[in-house]
Amino acid sequence: MRLAAIASALAIVLCVAVFGAILLQKASIPVPALAPPQATPTEGRAPGSVVTVANNAAESAVAAPTVVAQASPAPPMPAAMPTSCSNPNALGVARMVEIDTTGGPGFGFEHFKSHDFLREGEVVLTFDDGPWPKNTPAVLAALAAHCTKAIFFPIGLHATYEPGILKQVAAAGHAIGSHTWCHQDLSKTKGRCNVNGKVQAVEYNPKDEIEMGISAVHWAVGGPTAPYFRFPALRQPQELIDYLGKRNIAIFSTDMDSFDFKMRKPEQVRQSVMEKLKKHGKGIVLVHDFQHATAEAAMDLLNDLKAGGYKIVFMQPKYSVTTIASYDEAILKQLKGPMTDTRPTSSVVRTISE
């Protein structure tokens, strides 16, 4: 009996020791921290839901962007500074509105009916296809003389030709959106473009056309640009409207197209715009700073608007557009030699004696 009791006691002690060792071992193993929930792709409803993504080297330099959730919104656009105006008869800016481009809202009643925010007599001026020597500076001079602001939709390729002019557009406080890389019809995949100084037949991916244009304009400006886009010829495939919605980029159609690209005389441009404004009473006006007749008409057209009692509304974007790294890199590959130096010449070359 005594031996049995001793054996029983030893068994109990052994069990306690083993159990204690197990508990001690568990206590010494660190418990892993709970991993944060993984971000899942969104439909682009939050501002800035698209971030710059560096693609793998094996992927195309113009691969489709990756859409991911982002905690913080896209960078805010700098506020348009009020312009001091010495012209007592200036058209000016009657009203400034802030545009939240979340989900890619559409503007211009030719295609979009959702946002009727303009009051009777109010006008939004938009200029397409620049920047272009002589013509864009002439438009800028007219806008400056009337202390007013507009939205510009430059072609990406043109932006790489004339980054200095586009910087002037930005410095004057205008909003700068984009209008594709080479003004291709995005309802198609074949067209013509200037490649290495020659106009050639090309095949393209419509999304690449959009993103290359955005990155080229952003490069040329060297600062924030607006999440605004206009389709060439206003041809707007639904799948690309959906894509821009995920990118939180607003789409601009128009309320009245001047068709100034068909005109050779400045008075024709003025007549076209004023007659359509008289008919509609208000609206987003589409003209082209690329066109010589429009550049010549710009000052008198603004005089006409002032005399007609029209008022300019400026659409200030709440957030700036976010480019995609692979397209930024593709643009840099398009540029050779000193063009990659984005500093203005005035900061590089300075006359110190004559």
Side-chain angles (χ1 to χ4, degrees), residues 50-113:
V50 178
V51 297
T52 299
V53 178
N55 296 54
N56 294 329
E59 295 178 333
S60 164
V62 288
T66 302
V67 181
V68 298
Q70 182 176 326
S72 57
M77 281 292 291
M81 299 300 291
T83 304
S84 58
C85 194
S86 58
N87 178 5
N89 297 314
L91 191 55
V93 175
R95 189 161 66 102
M96 185 178 296
V97 295
E98 183 180 78
I99 305 300
D100 184 344
T101 60
T102 301
F107 299 97
F109 266 53
E110 187 167 325
H111 291 91
F112 304 106
K113 314 296 183 185

Coordinates of all heavy atoms in Angstrom, one line a residue, residues 50-113:
V50 N -7.5 56.0 -56.9 CA -6.5 55.4 -57.8 C -5.1 56.0 -57.4 O -5.0 57.2 -57.2 CB -6.8 55.7 -59.2 CG1 -5.7 55.2 -60.1 CG2 -8.1 55.1 -59.6
V51 N -4.1 55.1 -57.1 CA -2.8 55.6 -56.7 C -1.8 55.3 -57.8 O -2.1 54.5 -58.7 CB -2.4 55.0 -55.4 CG1 -3.3 55.3 -54.3 CG2 -2.3 53.4 -55.5
T52 N -0.7 56.0 -57.8 CA 0.4 55.6 -58.7 C 0.9 54.3 -58.4 O 1.3 54.0 -57.2 CB 1.5 56.7 -58.6 OG1 0.9 58.0 -59.0 CG2 2.6 56.4 -59.6
V53 N 1.0 53.4 -59.4 CA 1.4 52.0 -59.2 C 2.6 51.7 -60.1 O 2.6 52.0 -61.3 CB 0.3 51.0 -59.5 CG1 0.7 49.6 -59.3 CG2 -0.9 51.3 -58.6
A54 N 3.7 51.2 -59.5 CA 4.8 50.8 -60.3 C 4.6 49.4 -60.8 O 4.5 48.5 -60.0 CB 6.1 50.9 -59.4
N55 N 4.6 49.2 -62.1 CA 4.4 47.9 -62.6 C 5.6 47.1 -62.7 O 6.7 47.6 -62.7 CB 3.8 48.1 -64.1 CG 2.5 48.7 -64.1 OD1 2.3 49.8 -63.6 ND2 1.5 48.1 -64.7
N56 N 5.5 45.7 -62.8 CA 6.6 44.9 -62.9 C 7.3 45.1 -64.2 O 6.7 45.5 -65.2 CB 6.2 43.4 -62.8 CG 5.6 43.0 -61.5 OD1 6.1 43.6 -60.5 ND2 4.7 42.1 -61.4
A57 N 8.6 44.8 -64.2 CA 9.4 45.1 -65.5 C 8.9 44.3 -66.6 O 9.0 44.7 -67.8 CB 10.9 44.8 -65.2
A58 N 8.3 43.2 -66.4 CA 7.9 42.3 -67.5 C 6.6 42.8 -68.1 O 6.2 42.4 -69.2 CB 7.6 40.9 -66.9
E59 N 5.9 43.7 -67.4 CA 4.7 44.2 -67.9 C 4.9 45.4 -68.9 O 5.9 46.0 -68.9 CB 3.8 44.7 -66.7 CG 3.3 43.6 -65.8 CD 2.5 44.1 -64.7 OE1 2.7 45.3 -64.3 OE2 1.7 43.3 -64.2
S60 N 3.9 45.6 -69.7 CA 4.0 46.7 -70.7 C 4.2 48.0 -70.0 O 3.7 48.3 -68.9 CB 2.8 46.7 -71.5 OG 2.6 47.9 -72.2
A61 N 4.9 48.9 -70.7 CA 5.1 50.3 -70.1 C 3.8 51.0 -70.1 O 3.7 52.0 -69.4 CB 6.2 51.0 -70.9
V62 N 2.9 50.6 -70.8 CA 1.6 51.2 -70.8 C 0.5 50.3 -70.4 O -0.6 50.2 -71.0 CB 1.3 51.9 -72.2 CG1 2.1 53.1 -72.4 CG2 1.4 50.9 -73.3
A63 N 0.8 49.5 -69.4 CA -0.2 48.5 -68.9 C -1.4 49.2 -68.3 O -1.3 50.4 -67.8 CB 0.4 47.6 -67.9
A64 N -2.5 48.6 -68.2 CA -3.7 49.2 -67.6 C -3.5 49.5 -66.1 O -2.8 48.7 -65.4 CB -4.9 48.2 -67.7
P65 N -4.0 50.6 -65.6 CA -3.7 50.9 -64.2 C -4.4 50.0 -63.2 O -5.4 49.3 -63.5 CB -4.3 52.3 -64.1 CG -5.4 52.4 -65.1 CD -4.8 51.5 -66.2
T66 N -3.8 49.9 -62.0 CA -4.4 49.1 -60.9 C -5.2 50.0 -60.1 O -4.8 51.1 -59.6 CB -3.2 48.5 -60.1 OG1 -2.5 47.7 -61.0 CG2 -3.8 47.6 -59.0
V67 N -6.4 49.6 -59.8 CA -7.3 50.4 -58.9 C -7.3 49.8 -57.6 O -7.6 48.6 -57.4 CB -8.8 50.4 -59.5 CG1 -9.7 51.3 -58.7 CG2 -8.7 50.9 -61.0
V68 N -7.0 50.6 -56.6 CA -6.9 50.1 -55.2 C -7.6 51.1 -54.3 O -7.7 52.3 -54.6 CB -5.5 49.8 -54.7 CG1 -4.8 48.8 -55.6 CG2 -4.6 51.1 -54.8
A69 N -8.0 50.6 -53.1 CA -8.5 51.5 -52.1 C -7.4 52.4 -51.5 O -6.3 51.9 -51.4 CB -9.2 50.7 -51.0
Q70 N -7.7 53.6 -51.2 CA -6.7 54.5 -50.7 C -7.3 55.3 -49.5 O -8.4 55.8 -49.6 CB -6.2 55.5 -51.8 CG -5.2 56.4 -51.3 CD -4.7 57.3 -52.5 OE1 -4.6 56.8 -53.6 NE2 -4.3 58.5 -52.2
A71 N -6.6 55.3 -48.4 CA -7.2 55.9 -47.2 C -7.3 57.4 -47.3 O -8.3 57.9 -46.9 CB -6.3 55.5 -46.0
S72 N -6.3 58.0 -47.9 CA -6.4 59.5 -48.1 C -6.8 59.9 -49.5 O -6.6 59.1 -50.4 CB -5.0 60.1 -47.8 OG -4.0 59.5 -48.7
P73 N -7.5 61.0 -49.6 CA -7.9 61.4 -50.9 C -6.8 61.9 -51.8 O -5.6 62.0 -51.3 CB -8.8 62.6 -50.6 CG -8.3 63.1 -49.3 CD -7.8 62.0 -48.5
A74 N -7.0 62.0 -53.1 CA -6.0 62.6 -54.0 C -5.6 64.0 -53.5 O -6.4 64.6 -52.8 CB -6.6 62.6 -55.4
P75 N -4.4 64.4 -53.9 CA -4.0 65.7 -53.5 C -5.0 66.8 -53.9 O -5.5 66.8 -55.0 CB -2.6 65.9 -54.3 CG -2.2 64.5 -54.6 CD -3.5 63.7 -54.8
P76 N -5.3 67.7 -53.0 CA -6.2 68.8 -53.3 C -5.6 69.7 -54.4 O -4.4 69.9 -54.4 CB -6.4 69.5 -52.0 CG -5.2 69.2 -51.2 CD -4.8 67.8 -51.6
M77 N -6.4 70.3 -55.2 CA -5.9 71.3 -56.2 C -5.7 72.6 -55.4 O -6.5 73.0 -54.6 CB -6.9 71.5 -57.3 CG -6.9 70.4 -58.3 SD -5.4 70.4 -59.4 CE -5.6 71.9 -60.3
P78 N -4.6 73.3 -55.8 CA -4.4 74.6 -55.2 C -5.6 75.5 -55.6 O -6.1 75.5 -56.7 CB -3.1 75.1 -55.8 CG -2.4 73.9 -56.3 CD -3.5 72.9 -56.7
A79 N -6.0 76.3 -54.7 CA -7.1 77.2 -55.0 C -6.7 78.3 -56.0 O -5.6 78.8 -56.0 CB -7.6 78.0 -53.7
A80 N -7.6 78.5 -56.9 CA -7.4 79.5 -58.0 C -7.3 80.9 -57.3 O -8.2 81.3 -56.6 CB -8.5 79.5 -59.0
M81 N -6.2 81.6 -57.5 CA -6.0 82.8 -56.8 C -6.8 83.9 -57.5 O -7.0 84.0 -58.7 CB -4.5 83.2 -56.8 CG -3.6 82.3 -56.1 SD -4.0 82.1 -54.4 CE -3.5 83.7 -53.8
P82 N -7.5 84.8 -56.7 CA -8.2 85.9 -57.3 C -7.3 86.8 -58.1 O -6.1 87.0 -57.7 CB -8.8 86.6 -56.1 CG -7.9 86.2 -54.9 CD -7.5 84.8 -55.2
T83 N -7.8 87.3 -59.2 CA -6.9 88.1 -60.1 C -7.2 89.5 -59.9 O -8.4 90.0 -59.9 CB -7.2 87.7 -61.6 OG1 -7.0 86.3 -61.7 CG2 -6.3 88.4 -62.5
S84 N -6.2 90.3 -59.7 CA -6.4 91.8 -59.6 C -6.5 92.3 -61.0 O -5.8 91.9 -61.9 CB -5.2 92.4 -58.9 OG -4.0 92.2 -59.6
C85 N -7.5 93.1 -61.2 CA -7.9 93.5 -62.6 C -7.9 95.0 -62.8 O -8.6 95.7 -62.0 CB -9.2 92.9 -63.0 SG -9.6 92.9 -64.7
S86 N -7.1 95.5 -63.7 CA -7.1 96.9 -64.0 C -8.1 97.3 -65.1 O -8.2 98.5 -65.4 CB -5.7 97.3 -64.4 OG -5.2 96.6 -65.5
N87 N -8.7 96.3 -65.7 CA -9.7 96.6 -66.8 C -11.1 96.8 -66.2 O -11.7 95.9 -65.8 CB -9.6 95.5 -67.8 CG -10.6 95.7 -68.9 OD1 -11.3 96.8 -69.0 ND2 -10.7 94.7 -69.8
P88 N -11.6 98.0 -66.2 CA -12.9 98.3 -65.6 C -14.0 97.6 -66.4 O -15.1 97.4 -65.8 CB -13.1 99.8 -65.6 CG -12.1 100.2 -66.7 CD -11.0 99.3 -66.7
N89 N -13.8 97.2 -67.6 CA -14.8 96.6 -68.5 C -14.5 95.1 -68.6 O -15.0 94.5 -69.6 CB -14.8 97.3 -69.8 CG -15.3 98.7 -69.7 OD1 -16.2 99.1 -69.0 ND2 -14.5 99.6 -70.4
A90 N -13.8 94.6 -67.7 CA -13.4 93.1 -67.8 C -14.6 92.2 -67.6 O -15.5 92.6 -66.8 CB -12.3 92.8 -66.8
L91 N -14.6 91.1 -68.3 CA -15.6 90.1 -68.1 C -15.5 89.5 -66.7 O -16.5 89.2 -66.0 CB -15.4 89.0 -69.2 CG -16.5 88.0 -69.4 CD1 -17.9 88.7 -69.6 CD2 -16.2 87.1 -70.6
G92 N -14.2 89.2 -66.2 CA -14.0 88.7 -64.9 C -14.5 87.3 -64.7 O -14.9 86.6 -65.7
V93 N -14.6 86.9 -63.5 CA -15.2 85.6 -63.1 C -16.3 85.9 -62.1 O -16.1 86.4 -61.0 CB -14.2 84.6 -62.4 CG1 -14.9 83.4 -61.9 CG2 -13.1 84.3 -63.4
A94 N -17.6 85.7 -62.5 CA -18.7 86.0 -61.7 C -18.9 85.0 -60.6 O -19.4 85.4 -59.5 CB -20.0 86.0 -62.6
R95 N -18.6 83.7 -60.8 CA -18.8 82.7 -59.8 C -17.8 81.6 -60.0 O -17.5 81.2 -61.1 CB -20.2 82.2 -60.0 CG -20.7 81.2 -58.8 CD -22.2 81.1 -58.8 NE -22.8 80.5 -60.0 CZ -23.2 79.2 -60.0 NH1 -23.1 78.5 -58.9 NH2 -23.8 78.7 -61.1
M96 N -17.3 81.1 -58.9 CA -16.4 79.9 -58.9 C -17.1 78.8 -58.2 O -17.6 78.9 -57.1 CB -15.0 80.3 -58.3 CG -14.0 79.2 -58.4 SD -12.4 79.7 -57.6 CE -11.9 81.0 -58.6
V97 N -17.1 77.6 -58.8 CA -17.7 76.4 -58.2 C -16.6 75.4 -58.1 O -15.7 75.2 -58.9 CB -18.8 75.9 -59.1 CG1 -20.0 76.9 -59.1 CG2 -18.4 75.5 -60.5
E98 N -16.7 74.6 -57.0 CA -15.7 73.5 -56.8 C -16.4 72.2 -57.2 O -17.5 71.9 -56.9 CB -15.4 73.4 -55.3 CG -14.4 72.3 -55.0 CD -14.0 72.3 -53.5 OE1 -14.9 71.7 -52.7 OE2 -13.0 72.8 -53.1
I99 N -15.6 71.4 -58.0 CA -16.1 70.2 -58.6 C -15.5 69.0 -57.9 O -14.3 68.8 -57.9 CB -15.8 70.1 -60.1 CG1 -16.4 71.4 -60.8 CG2 -16.4 68.8 -60.7 CD1 -17.9 71.5 -60.6
D100 N -16.3 68.1 -57.3 CA -15.9 66.9 -56.7 C -16.0 65.8 -57.8 O -17.1 65.5 -58.2 CB -16.7 66.5 -55.5 CG -16.2 65.2 -54.8 OD1 -15.4 64.5 -55.4 OD2 -16.6 65.0 -53.6
T101 N -14.9 65.3 -58.3 CA -15.0 64.4 -59.5 C -15.1 62.9 -59.1 O -14.9 62.0 -59.9 CB -13.7 64.6 -60.3 OG1 -12.5 64.2 -59.5 CG2 -13.6 66.0 -60.8
T102 N -15.5 62.7 -57.8 CA -15.7 61.3 -57.4 C -16.7 60.6 -58.3 O -17.8 61.0 -58.6 CB -16.3 61.3 -55.9 OG1 -15.4 61.9 -55.1 CG2 -16.5 59.9 -55.5
G103 N -16.3 59.4 -58.8 CA -17.1 58.6 -59.6 C -17.2 59.0 -61.0 O -17.9 58.4 -61.8
G104 N -16.5 60.1 -61.4 CA -16.5 60.6 -62.8 C -17.8 61.2 -63.3 O -18.4 60.7 -64.2
P105 N -18.2 62.3 -62.7 CA -19.5 63.0 -63.1 C -19.3 63.5 -64.6 O -18.2 63.8 -65.0 CB -19.6 64.1 -62.1 CG -18.3 64.4 -61.6 CD -17.6 63.1 -61.6
G106 N -20.4 63.6 -65.3 CA -20.4 64.2 -66.6 C -21.0 65.5 -66.7 O -22.0 65.8 -66.0
F107 N -20.4 66.4 -67.5 CA -21.0 67.8 -67.7 C -21.1 68.1 -69.2 O -20.3 67.7 -70.0 CB -20.0 68.8 -67.1 CG -19.8 68.6 -65.6 CD1 -18.7 67.9 -65.1 CD2 -20.7 69.1 -64.7 CE1 -18.5 67.7 -63.7 CE2 -20.5 68.9 -63.3 CZ -19.4 68.2 -62.8
G108 N -22.2 68.8 -69.5 CA -22.5 69.2 -70.8 C -23.7 68.5 -71.3 O -23.7 67.2 -71.4
F109 N -24.8 69.2 -71.6 CA -26.1 68.6 -71.9 C -26.1 67.9 -73.2 O -27.1 67.2 -73.5 CB -27.2 69.7 -71.8 CG -27.8 69.7 -70.4 CD1 -27.0 69.9 -69.3 CD2 -29.1 69.6 -70.2 CE1 -27.5 69.9 -68.0 CE2 -29.7 69.6 -69.0 CZ -28.9 69.8 -67.8
E110 N -25.1 68.0 -74.0 CA -25.1 67.2 -75.3 C -25.1 65.7 -75.0 O -25.7 64.9 -75.7 CB -24.0 67.6 -76.2 CG -24.0 66.9 -77.5 CD -23.1 67.5 -78.5 OE1 -22.8 68.8 -78.5 OE2 -22.6 66.8 -79.4
H111 N -24.5 65.4 -73.8 CA -24.5 63.9 -73.4 C -24.9 63.7 -72.0 O -25.3 62.6 -71.7 CB -23.0 63.4 -73.6 CG -22.6 63.3 -75.0 ND1 -21.9 64.3 -75.6 CD2 -22.7 62.3 -75.9 CE1 -21.6 64.0 -76.9 NE2 -22.1 62.8 -77.1
F112 N -24.8 64.7 -71.1 CA -25.1 64.4 -69.7 C -26.2 65.4 -69.2 O -26.1 66.6 -69.4 CB -23.8 64.6 -68.9 CG -22.7 63.7 -69.4 CD1 -21.6 64.3 -70.1 CD2 -22.7 62.4 -69.1 CE1 -20.5 63.5 -70.5 CE2 -21.6 61.6 -69.5 CZ -20.6 62.1 -70.2
K113 N -27.1 64.8 -68.5 CA -28.3 65.6 -68.0 C -28.3 65.8 -66.5 O -29.2 66.4 -66.0 CB -29.6 65.0 -68.5 CG -29.6 64.6 -70.0 CD -29.5 65.7 -70.9 CE -29.6 65.2 -72.4 NZ -29.3 66.3 -73.3

